[in-house]
Every structure is written in C-alpha cells, then in structure tokens.
Amino acid sequence: MLVKSYAAAVKGIDAIIVTVETVVDRGMQYCIVGLPDAAVKESQERVRSAITQSGYNIGRAKVVINMAPADVKKEGSSYDLPIAVAILVGAGAIKAPELDKYMIMGELSLDGSLQPVRGVLPMAIAARAAGFKGMIVPRANATEAAVVNNLEVYGLDSLREVIDLLSGASVPEPVVVDTRAEFAAALGNFDYDFSEVKGQENVKRAFEVACAGGHNILLVGPPGSGKSMMAKRLPSIMPPLGLREALETTKIHSVAGKLRRGSRLMTARPFRSPHHTVSPVAMVGGGSNPMPGEISLAHNGILFLDEFPEFPRAVLEVLRQPLEDRHISVSRARYQVDYPASFMLVASMNPCPCGYYNHPTKACTCPAGAVQKYLGRISGPLLDRIDIQCEIMPVPFDELAARPTGETSADIRARVVRAREIQAARFADEPSVHCNAQMGPRHIAAHCALTPDCAAILRKAMLKYDMSARAYDRILKVARTAADLDACPEILPRHISEAISYRNLDRGTWGTMSNAASSGL
C-alpha cells in the first residue's frame, strides 16, 4: 500500500515541501531513497523501536521509502515522525484519513517520545504557503511554529499522541500565540543599560550616531577603558525590530538551531561576538551541512569583533563583500545557498601590541613602527567600510567615582528612532537604502550638500590631517546622520566638525609620533 506523508527540508533560510512516499509490502527489507544523509538512513532503528514501544507491531515487512524531490538532500533526524506515521498507515495498523492535511516533523526516541528539531519556523511558513491545514511538531517546537498565523499547530510529546490525533481518537487544542501582543510586550527589555556607564560621553555620542545611521564603528583604546562594556549595551539603543525583521531574524536562528526550547519570535536585535579564533567558514556560513555563519546570525543586529587585529586576515577579508551587499552567497561543489547578512559591524582594538599608545599616564613599550604595523593587520579596503573610528581613553578614578548615573538607554533610543524615521521618509522611494550608511554617490550628492562654511571646514581638515580620499564620503554620511539627530534639514558646521572627529585613523600623523610623545613624557 502506497502512503504519502509530508515534511520539509531547509535550504538556506527557507523550506521546501518533502513528500515521504512509503510502500509497505510483504518481505524483510528496509530501503530509503531520495538523497538522505546518514542521520535519515539511521531512522530505521529509531522508527522500529518507537513503533514497538507505542504498542504496535507491523511484523515482517518490506518498507520502501522515497523522499521527493529526490535531488534535494535530506538531513537530520526530523523525518523520523513522518516516516513512522506513513509506515503505520501503510501496514494497516492505524487509519489517518486527514494525513495529507498536515505537515509532520519530529525526531523519535527509542521509547516513542518526540525530541525537538531545528528549522521549524521556516517549515511552518512553507506549510502555510502550501495550504496545509496544520502542522504536528514536538512540544518544544510548538510555540516557535505557532508564530505563523492561519495554521493549526499541535505540539505533542509522543508517537502515541500523534496517532491519536491523526486517527481522531483525541484532538488536543492547537497552540495559539498572540504574536503582536507578545512582541509589543517584550520590546525594550534589555539586560544592560547605558545608565550604568559613567563618563565616556564622547563615545556614547559616537554610538548614538552609529545606531542612528547604521554606521559601522571601530573603538580604539587601551585595556580597561570600557570598549566591550559599552558595546554590549548597543542593542538597547538600536531601533526596535519590526515584525518583518523579527520574523526573518528568527528564521535564521531557527535554521541554525540557536533558539532555546519554547522560544517564540525574537524581539531583540541579535548581538553576536565570536572569538578571534573563529574560522572563515564559521564567519560566513557553509560547511558540509550548510549552516548560517556569524554574519548571518547577526542579521538585523550587531556583529561585535573584540580584539579586531587579532582575527586572522582571511576572516576579516571575508567581511568586505557582505558589508557592501548585505547578503552572502556560499558556493561549494555540491550546493549554493544565500544567507542575508545586513548587520552593523562594531569592532574594538588596542592602539598597539602593548595597549598603551596615546595613554595619558602609562608609557607605550612598543618598538618604533609597531603601532602602524599593528594597525596594518586591518586592510585598507576593510577600514574603508568603517564610517566611525573613535578613540577612547579610561575614565580617571576621581571622575568615575563622582559622576552620577548616566543617561538611560531609553532616552538615547528615542533620539535614534526619530533619526531613523527621518531617513525612512528620505529613502521611501529607494528600496535598497534604509539608512544613511547605505547611501551611494548619487544619494550623497542629493542629500549631503555642503554650505560654503562646511566645505571650508572639511577642506581644512583634509589638508591639515592628511586624510585619505576614502574619508571624504564617510564624513559626509556621518555628518548627515548628526544633522538628522538634530532634526536639521541642512548639514551645519558643527555636524561636519563632529564627523571629522570620528576619523582618527585616517589622519596621516596617527601612530607615527614617538613613544615618548605618545605617553606624555
């Protein structure tokens, strides 16, 4: 008897429908085809044991399973449940008149209990698009799938419960998630707040400008100056996720298996901070079983690279194309997948190998030329994609102890949101541009016109500090964002001056002064 059950396979961050065609006949054979991986082939023992432990016996049987489409690789243990159900129906052990109305996914334990699987959210989206009535998943995945409306989602604990549902013996209530209400309630809940940061007002302002315009930012300062501490608080001042962004972000983390059990829609922008020993494949994604990399897990959020020059050159160079195109195409001999990668790069580094170049009280012990050599670990093309380069110094103890609580993240975030609303109106007719950092030469010419006073300030700075040509457009973009924060339709001299102050590493004299001069001796 031929029986069809329905599952899904993940490709990139989307899912495609998989038809599990099962024929049960007399004999003693178990054959599964349709490009299964080792985990799918091993389902035989899990399925047989789960069926037996659930109180059914199909006896000696020849089972042939085809997973269509056969040219798409099937990976993981999530096909155990649809295979088991199809075998039971094909053997005549149960009746399931509405089997074709459900997508079924789940891993089986030997005792018949269900274990959670990854990628359930894109599968649920595919199920709704294909017109399925509902979806049956392990209970731990139920709330994740229930994010998708107009789809009945049943979270069950065992194969026995699935059989009761399909046969009509027991129909539990579907899991319901009020996505919009929970999404609105969870916004603004953060573990860290900028009110906890004392001092460093110039760095807070640089972060505010970066978040308002979507600018990449690099912090340069000695150990203990607060670089990592403040970077961890960046999500609290980023604009809130929209529902579309939250759904896309949750899909990526679902495919990567990064969602916790019982998770629903992600409401906070992701903050990814890989160690500097990360490999290029882990950064961009791919592998023998394609998975999103760190740059995709940071999509719609922040990718924080601490100790920036310590990352391997190959890892840093793979960031260049995603920073421009906002997506990554991973091509291998056996597959090609596309992952979104629209993130804000936040990096931090010491100014030199010893960490104390330009320190107000400690002398730099590095030999001559070490500062430039250390900075040289970051290529010019990558540095060109970082709009804001901010130097940071430690706060003196007396000042730190005397300072009151700083401005809250909510106050800063309100200004950031207002600036983003101005940019949304400005680029309403530009679907590929969402913030000032994404402007091209045409947009800069249209929206970053300078008054004679501003042009004079910029010209003087370019000549005085021997800034590179790549700094010019970056300064204009950042100045436009500073003007948006002030709700100014025109760029004013103070905005240009502020933007110039954020180009420390473009100054031809940076890192060339003597160690004695850098330490104030």
Side-chain angles (χ1 to χ4, degrees):
M1 179 180 178
L2 173 64
V3 177
K4 294 182 180 181
S5 60
Y6 296 92
V10 174
K11 186 175 182 180
I13 63 167
D14 297 312
I16 58 175
I17 304 300
V18 172
T19 303
V20 181
E21 302 174 331
T22 304
V23 174
V24 182
D25 208 343
R26 293 181 179 179
M28 294 181 62
Q29 184 181 2
Y30 187 97
C31 178
I32 182 167
V33 296
L35 212 58
D37 72 348
V40 179
K41 292 178 181 178
E42 291 172 353
S43 65
Q44 175 182 359
E45 300 306 325
R46 293 192 298 271
V47 167
R48 285 191 179 275
S49 176
I51 289 175
T52 301
Q53 295 298 321
S54 298
Y56 294 91
N57 184 8
I58 61 173
R60 296 180 177 181
K62 176 182 178 182
V63 179
V64 179
I65 302 167
N66 176 47
M67 308 182 78
D71 60 343
V72 175
K73 190 172 184 179
K74 319 303 184 305
E75 300 171 340
S77 56
S78 57
Y79 300 100
D80 291 358
L81 186 55
I83 288 174
V85 170
I87 290 175
L88 286 168
V89 175
I94 65 171
K95 295 185 180 298
E98 294 191 337
L99 180 61
D100 60 343
K101 296 182 180 179
Y102 292 93
M103 177 184 285
I104 306 173
M105 300 298 298
E107 176 187 334
L108 284 171
S109 294
L110 295 181
D111 62 356
S113 60
L114 298 183
Q115 300 298 321
V117 297
R118 60 182 177 87
V120 166
L121 179 56
M123 294 175 186
I125 294 173
R128 182 182 63 181
F132 284 97
K133 174 185 177 182
M135 185 173 185
I136 300 173
V137 295
R139 190 176 299 277
N141 294 122
T143 53
E144 179 185 341
V147 167
V148 180
N149 56 11
N150 299 323
L151 183 72
E152 294 180 5
V153 175
Y154 296 94
L156 304 177
D157 292 314
S158 66
L159 175 61
R160 179 78 245 186
E161 292 182 9
V162 175
I163 293 171
D164 290 343
L165 170 61
L166 292 173
S167 63
S170 174
V171 181
E173 289 293 321
V175 178
V176 178
V177 174
D178 190 341
T179 303
R180 293 185 179 273
E182 295 193 6
F183 185 76
L187 289 177
N189 295 331
F190 300 100
D191 295 330
Y192 304 105
D193 194 280
F194 266 97
S195 62
E196 302 160 348
V197 180
K198 297 183 179 181
Q200 304 292 11
E201 299 303 325
N202 62 321
V203 183
K204 292 180 185 177
R205 172 65 181 182
F207 276 150
E208 181 179 339
V209 173
C211 292
H215 302 287
N216 301 319
I217 182 172
L218 171 63
L219 298 178
V220 184
S225 55
K227 302 185 295 295
S228 301
M229 174 191 179
M230 285 187 283
K232 291 178 181 178
R233 285 156 176 76
L234 268 178
S236 66
I237 64 171
M238 290 282 284
L241 280 173
L243 277 174
R244 182 191 61 80
E245 289 179 312
L247 186 62
E248 187 176 38
T249 304
T250 308
K251 281 174 61 179
I252 296 170
H253 286 251
S254 174
V255 169
K258 301 296 183 181
L259 294 180
R260 292 174 294 185
R261 291 192 177 189
S263 294
R264 303 182 182 183
L265 205 61
M266 293 180 64
T267 56
R269 293 187 181 272
F271 181 89
R272 302 294 301 180
S273 180
H275 192 259
H276 61 258
T277 56
V278 65
S279 69
V281 173
M283 185 65 80
V284 302
S288 56
N289 296 326
M291 295 284 284
E294 290 292 338
I295 61 174
S296 296
L297 292 171
H299 180 64
N300 291 326
I302 295 167
L303 178 66
F304 177 50
L305 303 184
D306 201 5
E307 303 298 342
F308 200 35
E310 302 301 330
F311 283 79
R313 185 67 172 257
V315 172
L316 295 181
E317 292 306 297
V318 300
L319 296 174
R320 288 162 53 178
Q321 182 260 338
L323 284 171
E324 290 290 329
D325 297 341
R326 306 284 172 172
H327 75 275
I328 180 72
S329 295
V330 180
S331 298
R332 299 291 183 266
R334 296 183 179 180
Y335 65 82
Q336 178 177 342
V337 293
D338 292 327
Y339 294 122
S342 180
F343 59 91
M344 192 175 97
L345 175 64
V346 180
S348 69
M349 60 178 284
N350 295 330
C352 64
C354 80
Y356 296 107
Y357 175 78
N358 266 357
H359 195 282
T361 59
K362 296 183 180 181
C364 176
T365 59
C366 298
V371 177
Q372 284 295 327
K373 185 178 180 180
Y374 191 66
L375 181 61
R377 297 183 184 181
I378 307 169
S379 69
L382 179 57
L383 201 59
D384 181 38
R385 289 162 171 80
I386 300 177
D387 296 346
I388 298 177
Q389 304 155 3
C390 184
E391 203 165 0
I392 177 173
M393 290 296 168
V395 179
F397 173 78
D398 292 339
E399 185 180 356
L400 182 64
R403 280 188 176 271
T405 303
E407 190 177 23
T408 67
S409 292
D411 294 334
I412 301 173
R413 190 186 212 187
R415 295 194 295 269
V416 169
V417 170
R418 287 195 295 269
R420 284 293 183 103
E421 290 172 350
I422 293 173
Q423 294 166 50
R426 177 183 299 136
F427 304 122
D429 298 329
E430 299 280 352
S432 62
V433 181
H434 303 96
C435 57
N436 290 336
Q438 299 173 2
M439 289 193 294
R442 177 171 57 87
H443 308 107
I444 292 174
H447 304 298
C448 300
L450 297 181
T451 64
D453 289 343
C454 291
I457 293 173
L458 181 54
R459 181 179 184 277
K460 182 178 179 180
M462 296 283 291
L463 296 175
K464 178 180 179 180
Y465 296 117
D466 191 24
M467 289 186 175
S468 62
R470 67 173 178 255
Y472 182 78
D473 284 353
R474 307 292 168 180
I475 289 173
L476 293 181
K477 290 181 181 181
V478 174
R480 180 66 269 172
T481 300
D484 289 342
L485 283 168
D486 290 343
C488 290
E490 293 183 353
I491 296 176
L492 302 179
R494 68 173 183 269
H495 303 138
I496 281 288
S497 298
E498 181 180 1
I500 291 170
S501 71
Y502 296 142
R503 300 301 301 183
N504 289 353
L505 301 188
D506 274 321
R507 300 179 182 183
T509 57
W510 199 92
T512 60
M513 67 178 69
S514 67
N515 291 336
S518 74
S519 60
L521 300 177

